[in-house]
């Protein structure tokens, strides 16, 4: 996809709310590698498929909550994708993980990615601020 598809948009954000299984890693791929997306906000959901089984196994081995391991895993995928994009001359990015304690669901964590041109300084303000 090209930026022309978003004519008139000055900033394009991909939002994924409660994405199940392989949809979360897919959104990360699109957001980090995609030239038309400037930022991403992802709230992952349940564990499905091979990825979910691997996360559940890791959580059981570490005696921690599976959702926490899922968020850690998706954050690591973001960081790996950002590193690969930067090595290829792509946009610079930063990743953040936020917890919304006001959300009634226990699936209350957000992973954000903010991108900017390789020849520009990082924005002064992060895309999201942690909820108090």
């Amino acid at each position: 996809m090209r930026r022309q598809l978003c004519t008139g948009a000055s900033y394009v954000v991909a939002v994924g709310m409660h994405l199940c299984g392989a949809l979360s890693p897919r959104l990360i791929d699109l957001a980090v590698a995609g030239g038309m997306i400037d930022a991403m906000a992802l709230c992952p959901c349940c564990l499905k498929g091979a990825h979910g089984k691997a996360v559940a196994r890791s959580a059981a081995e570490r005696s921690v909550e599976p959702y926490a391991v899922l968020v850690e895993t998706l954050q690591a995928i973001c960081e790996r994708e950002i590193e690969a994009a930067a090595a290829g001359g792509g946009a610079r990015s930063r990743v953040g993980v936020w917890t919304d304690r006001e959300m009634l669901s226990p699936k209350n964590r957000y992973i954000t990615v903010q991108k900017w041109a390789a020849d520009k300084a990082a924005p002064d303000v992060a895309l999201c601020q942690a909820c108090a």
Side-chain angles (χ1 to χ4, degrees):
M1 294 192 290
R2 293 191 276 283
R3 169 97 37 205
Q4 290 89 346
L5 295 176
C6 298
T7 304
S10 60
Y11 202 78
V12 178
V13 179
V15 177
M17 292 300 298
H18 289 267
L19 293 184
C20 295
L23 292 176
S24 290
R26 180 66 181 134
L27 179 64
I28 292 167
D29 290 343
L30 291 171
V32 174
M36 70 179 256
I37 298 173
D38 300 304
M40 175 199 78
L42 166 64
C43 181
C45 188
C46 52
L47 309 170
K48 290 188 177 183
H51 178 72
K53 288 177 186 170
V55 166
R57 232 181 352 266
S58 176
E61 289 168 3
R62 294 169 48 193
S63 299
V64 296
E65 174 194 10
Y67 188 70
V69 175
L70 175 62
V71 172
E72 288 172 6
T73 302
L74 294 171
Q75 178 182 5
I77 291 170
C78 286
E79 291 167 349
R80 187 183 67 229
E81 294 289 327
I82 286 168
E83 227 176 87
R92 294 171 48 205
S93 306
R94 68 175 152 217
V95 62
V97 176
W98 314 98
T99 300
D100 182 354
R101 298 188 197 308
E102 300 291 321
M103 186 183 282
L104 297 178
S105 169
K107 296 183 170 58
N108 62 349
R109 295 192 189 113
Y110 295 86
I111 301 162
T112 59
V113 172
Q114 185 176 13
K115 296 171 20 181
W116 61 94
D119 61 343
K120 304 283 186 203
D124 291 336
V125 178
L127 178 67
C128 295
Q129 299 298 322
C131 299

